[in-house]
Protein backbone atom coordinates (compact mmCIF):
# COMPACT_ATOMS: atom_id res chain seq x y z
CA UNK A 1 0.00 0.00 0.00
CA UNK A 2 1.02 3.56 -0.45
CA UNK A 3 3.12 4.89 2.38
CA UNK A 4 1.08 7.88 3.49
CA UNK A 5 3.01 8.74 6.63
CA UNK A 6 6.51 9.48 5.40
CA UNK A 7 6.68 12.94 3.83
CA UNK A 8 9.57 13.95 1.63
CA UNK A 9 9.51 17.70 1.22
CA UNK A 10 10.59 19.27 -2.08
CA UNK A 11 9.57 22.82 -1.27
CA UNK A 12 6.63 22.55 -3.61
CA UNK A 13 4.08 25.28 -3.18
CA UNK A 14 0.63 23.96 -2.42
CA UNK A 15 -1.85 24.42 -5.21
CA UNK A 16 -5.34 25.56 -4.44
CA UNK A 17 -8.36 25.21 -6.63
CA UNK A 18 -10.29 28.19 -5.39
CA UNK A 19 -12.52 29.21 -8.21
CA UNK A 20 -10.89 26.76 -10.59
CA UNK A 21 -13.97 24.61 -11.00
CA UNK A 22 -16.49 27.42 -11.22
CA UNK A 23 -16.90 30.46 -13.41
CA UNK A 24 -18.61 33.50 -11.95
CA UNK A 25 -20.38 36.12 -13.99
CA UNK A 26 -19.10 39.65 -13.77
CA UNK A 27 -20.89 42.45 -11.94
CA UNK A 28 -24.07 43.66 -13.47
CA UNK A 29 -23.93 46.70 -15.70
CA UNK A 30 -25.20 50.17 -14.74
CA UNK A 31 -28.89 50.16 -14.03
CA UNK A 32 -29.21 46.41 -14.08
CA UNK A 33 -31.46 45.37 -11.25
CA UNK A 34 -31.37 48.82 -9.54
CA UNK A 35 -32.83 52.30 -9.79
CA UNK A 36 -30.73 55.38 -10.56
CA UNK A 37 -30.74 58.54 -8.40
CA UNK A 38 -30.92 60.91 -11.34
CA UNK A 39 -28.51 62.12 -13.97
CA UNK A 40 -26.02 63.57 -11.47
CA UNK A 41 -26.49 60.99 -8.71
CA UNK A 42 -24.55 57.80 -8.08
CA UNK A 43 -26.12 54.50 -8.91
CA UNK A 44 -27.20 52.30 -6.05
CA UNK A 45 -25.13 49.24 -5.36
CA UNK A 46 -26.35 46.50 -7.62
CA UNK A 47 -26.13 42.93 -6.31
CA UNK A 48 -23.91 40.66 -8.35
CA UNK A 49 -25.63 37.98 -10.31
CA UNK A 50 -25.53 34.55 -8.76
CA UNK A 51 -22.48 32.61 -9.91
CA UNK A 52 -23.13 30.18 -12.71
CA UNK A 53 -21.27 26.97 -12.10
CA UNK A 54 -19.22 25.56 -14.97
CA UNK A 55 -19.27 22.18 -13.26
CA UNK A 56 -21.50 19.38 -14.48
CA UNK A 57 -20.99 16.36 -12.27
CA UNK A 58 -20.75 12.97 -13.92
CA UNK A 59 -21.93 9.75 -12.28
CA UNK A 60 -21.18 9.73 -8.55
CA UNK A 61 -19.35 13.04 -8.81
CA UNK A 62 -15.87 11.56 -9.11
CA UNK A 63 -15.44 13.40 -12.42
CA UNK A 64 -17.08 16.46 -13.90
CA UNK A 65 -17.35 18.39 -17.09
CA UNK A 66 -15.82 21.83 -16.46
CA UNK A 67 -15.34 23.15 -19.97
CA UNK A 68 -12.35 23.34 -22.23
CA UNK A 69 -9.01 22.40 -20.69
CA UNK A 70 -6.99 25.51 -19.85
CA UNK A 71 -3.48 26.42 -20.96
CA UNK A 72 -3.61 24.65 -24.32
CA UNK A 73 -2.92 26.34 -27.64
CA UNK A 74 -4.60 25.51 -30.91
CA UNK A 75 -2.32 23.54 -33.26
CA UNK A 76 -1.48 25.20 -36.56
CA UNK A 77 -0.58 23.64 -39.89
CA UNK A 78 2.95 24.31 -41.09
CA UNK A 79 3.25 26.96 -43.74
CA UNK A 80 5.05 25.97 -46.94
CA UNK A 81 8.77 25.81 -46.22
CA UNK A 82 8.34 26.31 -42.47
CA UNK A 83 10.68 24.39 -40.16
CA UNK A 84 8.72 22.18 -37.75
CA UNK A 85 8.97 22.83 -34.02
CA UNK A 86 10.98 20.49 -31.83
CA UNK A 87 8.57 18.55 -29.65
CA UNK A 88 9.74 16.88 -26.44
CA UNK A 89 7.38 14.64 -24.48
CA UNK A 90 8.08 13.84 -20.82
CA UNK A 91 5.79 11.06 -19.65
CA UNK A 92 5.27 9.26 -16.34
CA UNK A 93 4.16 5.65 -15.90
CA UNK A 94 1.92 4.92 -12.91
CA UNK A 95 1.46 8.55 -11.86
CA UNK A 96 0.62 8.08 -8.19
CA UNK A 97 1.46 10.62 -5.51
CA UNK A 98 3.20 8.80 -2.65
CA UNK A 99 5.34 9.93 0.26
CA UNK A 100 8.14 11.02 -2.08
CA UNK A 101 5.91 13.81 -3.44
CA UNK A 102 7.44 13.49 -6.90
CA UNK A 103 4.18 13.99 -8.79
CA UNK A 104 3.66 17.38 -7.16
CA UNK A 105 7.34 18.22 -7.54
CA UNK A 106 7.51 17.61 -11.28
CA UNK A 107 4.20 19.32 -11.84
CA UNK A 108 5.81 22.45 -10.38
CA UNK A 109 8.94 21.89 -12.49
CA UNK A 110 6.73 21.72 -15.57
CA UNK A 111 5.05 25.01 -14.74
CA UNK A 112 8.40 26.69 -14.12
CA UNK A 113 9.83 25.66 -17.48
CA UNK A 114 6.63 25.85 -19.54
CA UNK A 115 6.38 22.09 -19.98
CA UNK A 116 3.16 20.14 -20.08
CA UNK A 117 3.46 16.36 -19.72
CA UNK A 118 1.54 13.10 -19.93
CA UNK A 119 0.73 11.18 -16.76
CA UNK A 120 -0.13 7.52 -17.48
CA UNK A 121 -2.28 6.68 -14.47
CA UNK A 122 -2.48 3.13 -13.13
CA UNK A 123 -6.17 2.70 -12.31
CA UNK A 124 -5.55 0.58 -9.20
CA UNK A 125 -3.91 3.62 -7.58
CA UNK A 126 -7.47 4.93 -7.13
CA UNK A 127 -8.74 1.66 -5.63
CA UNK A 128 -8.32 1.02 -1.89
CA UNK A 129 -6.99 -2.27 -0.65
CA UNK A 130 -10.29 -3.24 0.95
CA UNK A 131 -12.03 -2.89 -2.42
CA UNK A 132 -9.46 -4.88 -4.36
CA UNK A 133 -12.07 -7.49 -5.26
CA UNK A 134 -13.63 -4.93 -7.63
CA UNK A 135 -10.70 -5.46 -10.00
CA UNK A 136 -11.19 -8.54 -12.17
CA UNK A 137 -8.01 -8.75 -14.29
CA UNK A 138 -7.87 -10.86 -17.45
CA UNK A 139 -6.37 -14.31 -16.86
CA UNK A 140 -6.00 -13.66 -13.12
CA UNK A 141 -8.20 -14.04 -10.09
CA UNK A 142 -10.23 -11.04 -8.84
CA UNK A 143 -8.29 -8.76 -6.51
CA UNK A 144 -4.89 -9.65 -7.97
CA UNK A 145 -2.40 -6.90 -8.90
CA UNK A 146 1.35 -7.02 -9.36
CA UNK A 147 1.65 -3.43 -8.13
CA UNK A 148 -0.74 -3.66 -5.22
CA UNK A 149 -3.49 -1.17 -4.49
CA UNK A 150 -3.69 2.08 -2.50
CA UNK A 151 -4.97 3.48 0.76
CA UNK A 152 -7.44 6.32 1.23
CA UNK A 153 -4.75 8.91 2.02
CA UNK A 154 -2.80 7.90 -1.08
CA UNK A 155 -5.93 8.10 -3.23
CA UNK A 156 -6.69 11.58 -1.90
CA UNK A 157 -3.16 12.77 -2.61
CA UNK A 158 -3.13 11.25 -6.09
CA UNK A 159 -6.49 12.76 -7.02
CA UNK A 160 -5.30 16.18 -5.82
CA UNK A 161 -2.36 15.97 -8.21
CA UNK A 162 -4.38 14.62 -11.12
CA UNK A 163 -6.87 17.45 -10.68
CA UNK A 164 -4.20 20.13 -10.56
CA UNK A 165 -2.20 18.55 -13.39
CA UNK A 166 -5.16 18.67 -15.76
CA UNK A 167 -5.88 22.28 -14.84
CA UNK A 168 -2.21 23.05 -15.59
CA UNK A 169 -2.70 21.70 -19.14
CA UNK A 170 -1.22 18.23 -18.64
CA UNK A 171 -2.69 15.01 -20.04
CA UNK A 172 -4.05 12.08 -18.02
CA UNK A 173 -3.51 8.87 -19.99
CA UNK A 174 -3.54 5.29 -18.74
CA UNK A 175 -0.99 2.67 -17.71
CA UNK A 176 -3.94 0.30 -17.19
CA UNK A 177 -4.23 -1.58 -13.89
CA UNK A 178 -2.49 -4.67 -12.49
CA UNK A 179 0.78 -4.40 -14.43
CA UNK A 180 1.05 -8.08 -15.35
CA UNK A 181 4.12 -8.97 -17.43
CA UNK A 182 5.63 -12.11 -18.91
CA UNK A 183 4.21 -15.29 -20.41
CA UNK A 184 2.08 -16.38 -17.45
CA UNK A 185 -1.02 -14.27 -17.98
CA UNK A 186 0.95 -11.12 -18.80
CA UNK A 187 -0.57 -8.38 -20.92
CA UNK A 188 1.34 -9.67 -23.94
CA UNK A 189 -0.91 -12.76 -23.93
CA UNK A 190 -4.21 -10.87 -23.74
CA UNK A 191 -6.81 -10.88 -26.50
CA UNK A 192 -8.46 -7.78 -27.88
CA UNK A 193 -11.57 -8.49 -25.80
CA UNK A 194 -9.47 -8.87 -22.65
CA UNK A 195 -7.86 -5.52 -23.36
CA UNK A 196 -11.31 -3.96 -23.70
CA UNK A 197 -12.14 -5.28 -20.23
CA UNK A 198 -8.90 -3.89 -18.79
CA UNK A 199 -9.52 -0.47 -20.34
CA UNK A 200 -13.13 -0.40 -19.10
CA UNK A 201 -11.94 -1.14 -15.57
CA UNK A 202 -9.20 1.50 -15.73
CA UNK A 203 -11.88 4.02 -16.63
CA UNK A 204 -14.26 2.77 -13.96
CA UNK A 205 -11.72 3.22 -11.15
CA UNK A 206 -11.28 6.86 -12.21
CA UNK A 207 -15.02 7.46 -12.62
CA UNK A 208 -15.92 5.92 -9.23
CA UNK A 209 -13.00 6.82 -6.98
CA UNK A 210 -15.29 8.71 -4.60
CA UNK A 211 -17.60 5.78 -4.06
CA UNK A 212 -14.74 3.29 -3.77
CA UNK A 213 -12.68 5.41 -1.36
CA UNK A 214 -15.49 6.95 0.66
CA UNK A 215 -14.13 10.47 -0.06
CA UNK A 216 -17.55 11.72 -1.09
CA UNK A 217 -16.97 15.35 -0.05
CA UNK A 218 -13.81 15.78 -2.10
CA UNK A 219 -13.74 17.86 -5.25
CA UNK A 220 -14.23 16.01 -8.53
CA UNK A 221 -11.63 15.47 -11.17
CA UNK A 222 -12.38 18.31 -13.62
CA UNK A 223 -12.73 16.21 -16.78
CA UNK A 224 -14.84 13.57 -18.43
CA UNK A 225 -12.46 10.60 -18.51
CA UNK A 226 -14.33 8.94 -21.34
CA UNK A 227 -13.30 11.91 -23.47
CA UNK A 228 -9.98 12.72 -21.79
CA UNK A 229 -8.51 9.25 -22.21
CA UNK A 230 -7.02 9.08 -25.69
CA UNK A 231 -3.68 7.32 -25.21
CA UNK A 232 -1.71 4.77 -23.25
CA UNK A 233 1.50 2.91 -22.52
CA UNK A 234 1.25 -0.80 -21.75
CA UNK A 235 3.03 -2.44 -18.81
CA UNK A 236 6.51 -3.64 -19.81
CA UNK A 237 5.76 -2.43 -23.37
CA UNK A 238 4.03 -5.76 -23.97
CA UNK A 239 0.76 -6.54 -25.73
CA UNK A 240 0.80 -3.55 -28.03
CA UNK A 241 -0.83 -5.20 -31.06
CA UNK A 242 -4.06 -6.35 -29.44
CA UNK A 243 -4.21 -3.34 -27.15
CA UNK A 244 -4.13 -1.02 -30.17
CA UNK A 245 -6.93 -2.97 -31.84
CA UNK A 246 -9.05 -2.53 -28.72
CA UNK A 247 -8.02 1.08 -28.24
CA UNK A 248 -8.93 1.98 -31.82
CA UNK A 249 -12.49 0.78 -31.26
CA UNK A 250 -12.67 2.78 -28.03
CA UNK A 251 -11.62 6.08 -29.57
CA UNK A 252 -7.95 6.27 -28.56
CA UNK A 253 -5.76 8.46 -30.74
CA UNK A 254 -2.20 7.33 -29.97
CA UNK A 255 -0.06 4.71 -28.25
CA UNK A 256 3.42 4.83 -26.71
CA UNK A 257 4.05 1.14 -26.02
CA UNK A 258 6.59 0.41 -28.72
CA UNK A 259 10.34 0.50 -29.24
CA UNK A 260 11.51 2.80 -32.00
CA UNK A 261 13.96 5.40 -33.14
CA UNK A 262 13.99 9.18 -33.42
CA UNK A 263 11.96 9.61 -36.59
CA UNK A 264 8.62 11.25 -37.28
CA UNK A 265 5.62 9.18 -36.12
CA UNK A 266 3.21 7.36 -38.39
CA UNK A 267 -0.18 5.79 -37.79
CA UNK A 268 -0.66 2.12 -36.99
CA UNK A 269 -4.16 0.66 -36.72
CA UNK A 270 -5.44 4.23 -36.99
CA UNK A 271 -3.46 5.42 -33.94
CA UNK A 272 -0.38 7.60 -33.88
CA UNK A 273 2.47 5.27 -32.93
CA UNK A 274 4.84 7.26 -30.68
CA UNK A 275 7.19 4.71 -29.11
CA UNK A 276 9.98 5.08 -26.61
CA UNK A 277 13.18 5.65 -28.57
CA UNK A 278 16.71 4.32 -28.70
CA UNK A 279 19.07 7.03 -27.42
CA UNK A 280 22.82 7.25 -26.83
CA UNK A 281 24.50 5.94 -23.69
CA UNK A 282 27.57 8.22 -23.47
CA UNK A 283 30.81 6.26 -23.20
CA UNK A 284 29.17 3.01 -24.32
CA UNK A 285 28.95 1.43 -27.76
CA UNK A 286 25.21 0.80 -27.67
CA UNK A 287 21.95 2.70 -27.31
CA UNK A 288 19.12 2.07 -24.84
CA UNK A 289 15.52 3.10 -24.47
CA UNK A 290 14.70 6.65 -23.43
CA UNK A 291 13.49 5.61 -19.98
CA UNK A 292 14.91 5.76 -16.47
CA UNK A 293 14.44 2.02 -15.96
CA UNK A 294 16.56 1.07 -18.96
CA UNK A 295 19.42 3.31 -17.95
CA UNK A 296 19.32 1.83 -14.47
CA UNK A 297 19.38 -1.75 -15.80
CA UNK A 298 22.36 -1.04 -18.03
CA UNK A 299 24.27 0.76 -15.29
CA UNK A 300 23.70 -1.08 -12.03
CA UNK A 301 21.10 -3.77 -12.66
CA UNK A 302 19.62 -2.89 -9.27
CA UNK A 303 17.90 0.09 -7.72
CA UNK A 304 20.51 0.12 -4.95
CA UNK A 305 23.78 0.28 -6.82
CA UNK A 306 27.15 1.55 -5.64
CA UNK A 307 26.51 4.99 -4.08
CA UNK A 308 29.85 6.26 -5.37
CA UNK A 309 28.50 5.78 -8.92
CA UNK A 310 25.13 7.47 -8.46
CA UNK A 311 26.19 10.89 -9.70
CA UNK A 312 27.95 9.42 -12.73
CA UNK A 313 24.93 7.32 -13.68
CA UNK A 314 22.58 10.29 -13.46
CA UNK A 315 24.92 12.43 -15.54
CA UNK A 316 25.19 9.64 -18.09
CA UNK A 317 21.42 9.49 -18.49
CA UNK A 318 21.08 13.27 -18.67
CA UNK A 319 23.85 13.57 -21.25
CA UNK A 320 22.41 10.71 -23.30
CA UNK A 321 19.03 12.42 -23.43
CA UNK A 322 20.66 15.74 -24.32
CA UNK A 323 22.59 14.07 -27.14
CA UNK A 324 19.34 12.58 -28.39
CA UNK A 325 17.72 16.01 -28.19
CA UNK A 326 20.56 17.67 -30.12
CA UNK A 327 20.41 15.20 -32.99
CA UNK A 328 16.68 15.84 -33.40
CA UNK A 329 16.85 19.60 -32.82
CA UNK A 330 19.71 20.04 -35.30
CA UNK A 331 18.54 17.21 -37.55
CA UNK A 332 15.13 15.87 -38.55
CA UNK A 333 13.21 17.61 -35.74
CA UNK A 334 11.44 14.33 -34.84
CA UNK A 335 9.68 14.46 -31.45
CA UNK A 336 11.83 13.21 -28.58
CA UNK A 337 9.90 10.78 -26.38
CA UNK A 338 11.06 10.25 -22.78
CA UNK A 339 9.51 7.88 -20.22
CA UNK A 340 9.92 7.95 -16.45
CA UNK A 341 8.59 6.77 -13.11
CA UNK A 342 8.25 8.53 -9.79
CA UNK A 343 11.12 6.64 -8.18
CA UNK A 344 14.27 7.01 -6.08
CA UNK A 345 16.40 4.36 -7.74
CA UNK A 346 20.13 4.74 -7.09
CA UNK A 347 19.61 7.63 -4.74
CA UNK A 348 17.20 9.52 -7.00
CA UNK A 349 19.87 10.18 -9.61
CA UNK A 350 17.50 9.61 -12.54
CA UNK A 351 15.00 12.13 -11.22
CA UNK A 352 17.82 14.67 -11.09
CA UNK A 353 18.75 13.75 -14.66
CA UNK A 354 15.20 14.32 -15.87
CA UNK A 355 14.84 17.63 -14.08
CA UNK A 356 18.13 18.90 -15.50
CA UNK A 357 17.03 17.79 -18.97
CA UNK A 358 13.76 19.70 -18.62
CA UNK A 359 15.62 22.81 -17.46
CA UNK A 360 17.98 22.61 -20.43
CA UNK A 361 15.76 21.80 -23.40
CA UNK A 362 12.36 23.31 -22.63
CA UNK A 363 13.68 26.88 -22.65
CA UNK A 364 15.29 26.65 -26.09
CA UNK A 365 13.98 28.46 -29.15
CA UNK A 366 11.38 26.57 -31.20
CA UNK A 367 11.10 23.82 -28.56
CA UNK A 368 7.71 22.71 -27.27
CA UNK A 369 7.65 20.44 -24.23
CA UNK A 370 4.15 19.06 -24.48
CA UNK A 371 1.96 16.02 -23.84
CA UNK A 372 1.36 13.18 -26.28
CA UNK A 373 -2.13 14.49 -26.88
CA UNK A 374 -0.75 17.86 -27.97
CA UNK A 375 1.65 16.17 -30.38
CA UNK A 376 -1.25 14.13 -31.78
CA UNK A 377 -3.29 17.32 -32.19
CA UNK A 378 -0.42 18.92 -34.13
CA UNK A 379 0.14 15.87 -36.31
CA UNK A 380 -3.57 15.72 -37.16
CA UNK A 381 -3.44 19.35 -38.26
CA UNK A 382 -0.66 18.76 -40.81
CA UNK A 383 -0.76 17.88 -44.50
CA UNK A 384 -0.24 14.09 -44.62
CA UNK A 385 2.15 14.46 -47.55
CA UNK A 386 4.29 16.89 -45.58
CA UNK A 387 4.47 14.39 -42.70
CA UNK A 388 5.32 11.61 -45.14
CA UNK A 389 8.20 13.67 -46.49
CA UNK A 390 9.50 14.38 -42.99
CA UNK A 391 9.40 10.64 -42.30
CA UNK A 392 11.99 10.14 -45.04
CA UNK A 393 14.56 11.84 -42.80
CA UNK A 394 16.56 9.36 -40.72
CA UNK A 395 17.77 9.84 -37.15
CA UNK A 396 19.69 13.10 -36.89
CA UNK A 397 19.33 13.84 -40.61
CA UNK A 398 18.60 17.45 -41.52
CA UNK A 399 17.37 18.30 -45.02
CA UNK A 400 20.44 18.85 -47.20
CA UNK A 401 18.76 21.71 -49.03
CA UNK A 402 17.43 23.29 -45.83
CA UNK A 403 13.92 23.23 -44.42
CA UNK A 404 12.61 26.08 -46.56
CA UNK A 405 13.36 24.18 -49.76
CA UNK A 406 12.61 20.72 -48.36
CA UNK A 407 9.07 21.59 -47.32
CA UNK A 408 8.24 24.01 -50.13
CA UNK A 409 5.43 22.94 -52.43
CA UNK A 410 6.36 21.66 -55.91
CA UNK A 411 7.20 24.52 -58.25
CA UNK A 412 4.65 23.21 -60.74
CA UNK A 413 1.78 23.80 -58.35
CA UNK A 414 -0.40 26.72 -59.32
CA UNK A 415 -0.44 29.60 -56.85
CA UNK A 416 -3.08 28.98 -54.22
CA UNK A 417 -3.70 25.41 -55.40
CA UNK A 418 -4.59 22.85 -52.76
CA UNK A 419 -1.77 20.44 -52.07
CA UNK A 420 -2.56 16.71 -52.17
CA UNK A 421 -3.96 15.53 -48.84
CA UNK A 422 -4.50 19.03 -47.53
CA UNK A 423 -8.21 18.47 -47.11
CA UNK A 424 -7.79 15.35 -45.00
CA UNK A 425 -5.43 15.95 -42.07
CA UNK A 426 -6.47 12.66 -40.47
CA UNK A 427 -5.48 10.58 -43.48
CA UNK A 428 -3.17 7.68 -42.82
CA UNK A 429 -0.17 7.55 -45.10
CA UNK A 430 0.27 4.28 -47.05
CA UNK A 431 3.56 3.59 -45.32
CA UNK A 432 1.82 3.16 -41.95
CA UNK A 433 2.59 -0.45 -41.19
CA UNK A 434 2.26 -2.76 -38.23
CA UNK A 435 4.34 -1.65 -35.22
CA UNK A 436 7.83 -3.03 -35.42
CA UNK A 437 7.69 -3.89 -39.13
CA UNK A 438 10.53 -1.55 -39.95
CA UNK A 439 12.46 -2.85 -36.95
CA UNK A 440 12.35 -6.58 -37.61
CA UNK A 441 15.83 -8.00 -37.58
CA UNK A 442 17.32 -4.82 -36.17
CA UNK A 443 20.05 -5.47 -33.65
CA UNK A 444 20.92 -3.20 -30.74
CA UNK A 445 22.64 -3.62 -27.42
CA UNK A 446 21.43 -2.27 -24.13
CA UNK A 447 17.76 -3.16 -24.39
CA UNK A 448 16.53 -4.60 -21.13
CA UNK A 449 14.52 -7.75 -20.69
CA UNK A 450 11.69 -8.33 -18.29
CA UNK A 451 13.55 -11.11 -16.55
CA UNK A 452 11.60 -13.73 -18.46
CA UNK A 453 13.46 -13.47 -21.73
CA UNK A 454 11.21 -10.87 -23.36
CA UNK A 455 13.44 -8.70 -25.47
CA UNK A 456 12.99 -4.99 -26.01
CA UNK A 457 10.83 -4.50 -22.94
CA UNK A 458 11.28 -1.74 -20.41
CA UNK A 459 9.55 -3.23 -17.40
CA UNK A 460 8.98 0.23 -16.00
CA UNK A 461 7.16 -0.09 -12.68
CA UNK A 462 8.34 -3.66 -12.14
CA UNK A 463 11.98 -2.78 -11.56
CA UNK A 464 14.01 -5.03 -9.26
CA UNK A 465 14.07 -3.74 -5.72
CA UNK A 466 14.35 -4.72 -2.14
CA UNK A 467 11.07 -5.61 -0.48
CA UNK A 468 9.42 -2.66 1.21
CA UNK A 469 11.68 -0.06 -0.38
CA UNK A 470 10.14 3.35 -0.93
CA UNK A 471 10.48 4.84 -4.36
CA UNK A 472 9.59 1.95 -6.61
CA UNK A 473 7.51 4.31 -8.71
CA UNK A 474 4.29 2.58 -7.75
CA UNK A 475 2.18 3.11 -4.64
CA UNK A 476 1.29 -0.20 -3.08
CA UNK A 477 4.28 -2.12 -4.45
CA UNK A 478 5.07 -5.00 -2.17
CA UNK A 479 6.99 -7.55 -4.19
CA UNK A 480 10.68 -7.58 -5.01
CA UNK A 481 12.24 -9.14 -8.07
CA UNK A 482 15.10 -11.47 -7.31
CA UNK A 483 18.47 -10.43 -8.59
CA UNK A 484 19.62 -7.94 -11.19
CA UNK A 485 18.36 -7.89 -14.75
CA UNK A 486 21.11 -8.45 -17.27
CA UNK A 487 21.07 -6.30 -20.42
CA UNK A 488 20.48 -8.21 -23.62
CA UNK A 489 23.35 -8.09 -26.09
CA UNK A 490 22.44 -7.92 -29.78
CA UNK A 491 18.75 -8.02 -28.94
CA UNK A 492 16.25 -8.33 -31.72
CA UNK A 493 13.63 -5.63 -31.30
CA UNK A 494 10.13 -6.98 -31.63
Amino acid sequence: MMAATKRIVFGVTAVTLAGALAACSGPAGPGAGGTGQGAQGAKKDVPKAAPKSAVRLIGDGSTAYTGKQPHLTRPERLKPGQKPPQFVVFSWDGAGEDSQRLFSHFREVGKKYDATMTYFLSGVYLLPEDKRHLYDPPQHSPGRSDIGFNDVAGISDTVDQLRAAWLDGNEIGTHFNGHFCGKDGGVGTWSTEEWKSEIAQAKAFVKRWKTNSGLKNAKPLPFDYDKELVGARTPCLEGQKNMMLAAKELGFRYDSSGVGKQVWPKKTEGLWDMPLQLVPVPGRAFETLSMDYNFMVNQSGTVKGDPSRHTFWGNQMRDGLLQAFDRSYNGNRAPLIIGNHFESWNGGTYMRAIEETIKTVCVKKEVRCVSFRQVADWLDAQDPQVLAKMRTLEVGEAPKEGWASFLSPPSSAAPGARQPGAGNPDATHPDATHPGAEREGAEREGVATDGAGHEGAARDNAAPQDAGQEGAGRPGAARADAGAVTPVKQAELR
Side-chain angles (χ1 to χ4, degrees):
M1 297 175 64
M2 171 184 287
T5 55
K6 182 179 177 183
R7 305 293 179 184
I8 300 177
V9 180
F10 287 93
V12 179
T13 303
V15 176
T16 63
L17 292 177
L21 297 180
C24 298
S25 61
T35 304
Q37 292 183 336
Q40 304 300 321
K43 297 290 184 183
K44 291 182 178 180
D45 290 337
V46 180
K48 294 182 180 180
K52 296 180 180 180
S53 175
V55 176
R56 185 169 71 243
L57 296 178
I58 301 171
D60 70 349
S62 292
T63 59
Y65 173 78
T66 59
K68 186 177 180 181
Q69 186 176 12
H71 306 298
L72 297 183
T73 58
R74 184 176 180 178
E76 295 183 355
R77 177 170 289 202
L78 288 174
K79 298 178 175 63
Q82 181 182 359
K83 180 190 291 188
Q86 176 62 59
F87 293 106
V88 183
V89 180
F90 292 93
S91 55
W92 303 89
D93 291 5
E97 175 81 329
D98 62 10
S99 61
Q100 302 171 102
R101 296 297 186 251
L102 288 171
F103 194 157
S104 50
H105 175 72
F106 276 97
R107 195 171 56 75
E108 292 297 323
V109 171
K111 289 197 294 184
K112 183 176 182 179
Y113 296 100
D114 196 23
T116 52
M117 309 180 194
T118 293
Y119 297 96
F120 289 123
L121 173 67
S122 293
V124 291
Y125 290 174
L126 298 187
L127 190 65
E129 180 77 26
D130 63 359
K131 296 290 183 67
R132 61 186 301 159
H133 62 277
L134 295 177
Y135 177 41
D136 187 10
Q139 302 187 28
H140 296 276
S141 58
R144 166 81 186 279
S145 167
D146 275 2
I147 56 172
F149 296 86
N150 214 332
D151 57 27
V152 173
I155 292 172
S156 179
D157 290 343
T158 296
V159 168
D160 284 347
Q161 294 309 313
L162 292 170
R163 183 188 301 114
W166 190 85
L167 292 171
D168 291 341
N170 299 286
E171 177 192 8
I172 312 301
T174 186
H175 200 43
F176 306 100
N177 298 304
H179 209 284
F180 302 106
C181 301
K183 298 178 181 179
D184 186 15
V187 298
T189 69
W190 291 0
S191 68
T192 300
E193 291 304 312
E194 287 173 325
W195 272 113
K196 288 181 182 178
S197 171
E198 180 77 352
I199 293 169
Q201 293 184 80
K203 287 184 176 182
F205 298 144
V206 174
K207 295 190 293 183
R208 290 183 58 79
W209 65 266
K210 280 192 176 185
T211 296
N212 292 335
S213 68
L215 297 168
K216 295 184 178 181
N217 294 325
K219 294 179 181 178
L221 290 171
F223 51 77
D224 180 345
Y225 202 47
D226 285 324
K227 296 179 179 178
E228 170 67 14
L229 182 56
V230 296
R233 180 175 294 140
T234 63
C236 313
L237 306 186
E238 296 176 8
Q240 183 187 39
K241 179 181 178 181
N242 286 344
M243 190 283 292
M244 291 180 81
L245 292 173
K248 177 182 179 181
E249 293 185 33
L250 297 173
F252 281 37
R253 296 176 56 205
Y254 75 86
D255 174 67
S256 184
S257 304
V259 175
K261 55 184 181 178
Q262 290 177 259
V263 294
W264 280 94
K266 61 187 177 184
K267 280 190 173 181
T268 302
E269 303 294 350
L271 278 65
W272 288 110
D273 190 359
M274 293 188 273
L276 291 171
Q277 299 164 334
L278 291 164
V279 298
V281 181
R284 306 292 293 274
F286 58 82
E287 296 188 324
T288 193
L289 286 184
S290 51
M291 178 173 267
D292 50 3
Y293 174 81
N294 289 77
F295 274 90
M296 180 273 292
V297 165
N298 282 286
Q299 292 167 336
S300 63
T302 174
V303 299
K304 290 187 175 181
D306 181 357
S308 69
R309 302 280 289 168
H310 288 176
T311 298
F312 172 79
W313 289 331
N315 291 347
Q316 188 177 50
M317 177 178 171
R318 177 202 62 202
D319 294 345
L321 295 177
L322 292 179
Q323 287 180 24
F325 171 83
D326 287 341
R327 68 185 184 187
S328 276
Y329 186 63
N330 299 315
N332 62 4
R333 284 291 175 99
L336 175 61
I337 309 299
I338 299 172
N340 309 284
H341 306 83
F342 295 136
E343 42 80 2
S344 58
W345 304 333
N346 286 330
T349 195
Y350 307 112
M351 295 296 90
R352 174 182 62 83
I354 289 298
E355 185 165 347
E356 290 177 0
T357 301
I358 293 171
K359 292 178 180 179
T360 302
V361 305
C362 295
V363 298
K364 290 184 178 290
K365 182 180 180 182
E366 298 177 345
V367 171
R368 300 181 190 176
C369 292
V370 297
S371 67
F372 281 110
R373 183 173 194 158
Q374 289 171 282
V375 176
D377 288 343
W378 188 89
L379 292 169
D380 283 339
Q382 305 311 308
D383 182 335
Q385 289 200 354
V386 170
L387 293 178
K389 192 165 188 180
M390 293 196 294
R391 282 195 291 270
T392 65
L393 297 172
E394 285 298 325
V395 177
E397 180 186 3
K400 293 182 176 62
E401 65 273 44
W403 284 102
S405 177
F406 183 68
L407 292 184
S408 291
S411 58
S412 58
R418 181 187 295 271
Q419 296 301 309
N424 184 15
D426 291 321
T428 301
H429 191 265
D431 70 357
T433 55
H434 187 275
E438 67 179 22
R439 304 192 298 270
E440 290 183 2
E443 294 184 346
R444 297 273 186 171
E445 294 183 8
V447 180
T449 69
D450 64 358
H454 182 85
E455 297 167 340
R459 292 193 59 211
D460 49 75
N461 290 20
Q465 64 179 57
D466 293 342
Q469 181 200 341
E470 292 268 6
R474 59 188 199 271
R479 111 184 131 78
D481 293 4
V485 179
T486 304
V488 174
K489 300 298 182 182
Q490 300 298 327
E492 180 184 2
L493 304 181
R494 296 195 299 235

